[in-house]
Amino acid sequence: RTAWRRHVVRVIEKKKEGAFHLTYEDGGTLYIVVGYGAMDTGGYSIEVPGFYLSDGGIVIDTNLLGPQEEAVRQISYPYIVVSTEWREEPVLYQ
């Protein structure tokens, strides 16, 4: 299990420069990753206003928030990982 997580972290590191979506399964758990790419500052957060099962699949709706005015001026790579029980339906990103 730990080796699989290290693999996923390496995949995120490779994709983090641009916006990306990623899903993976580990031991009956589905992990959904949404990344927003490189930002000029830190201080961002990500909200999940929608996460539900629809007729078409698992819907995840995320929004990038921030940064705060006093944010540190360094490049950041905001992303979020949401875990849920494994489902066969496709993941639909909004």
Side-chain angles (χ1 to χ4, degrees):
R1 241 178 166 176
T2 302
W4 181 244
R5 288 184 183 150
R6 281 194 300 261
H7 170 72
V8 172
V9 168
R10 284 194 301 273
V11 170
I12 291 170
E13 281 295 312
K14 288 179 182 178
K15 293 181 173 276
K16 72 181 184 180
E17 292 291 328
F20 69 93
H21 301 137
L22 172 68
T23 60
Y24 65 99
E25 183 270 335
D26 184 21
T29 301
L30 174 64
Y31 296 91
I32 302 167
V33 185
V34 179
Y36 282 86
M39 301 294 160
D40 291 338
T41 66
Y44 287 90
S45 61
I46 300 170
E47 70 174 356
V48 183
F51 184 65
Y52 56 91
L53 184 60
S54 73
D55 291 338
I58 301 166
V59 177
I60 184 163
D61 181 18
T62 62
N63 294 319
L64 183 64
L65 305 174
Q68 303 297 323
E69 286 185 30
E70 66 276 359
V72 176
R73 297 285 308 169
Q74 70 179 30
I75 295 176
S76 66
Y77 307 91
Y79 69 89
I80 189 168
V81 179
V82 176
S83 66
T84 188
E85 68 182 39
W86 168 251
R87 305 277 313 198
E88 291 187 18
E89 293 85 358
V91 176
L92 308 171
Y93 300 90
Q94 294 187 344

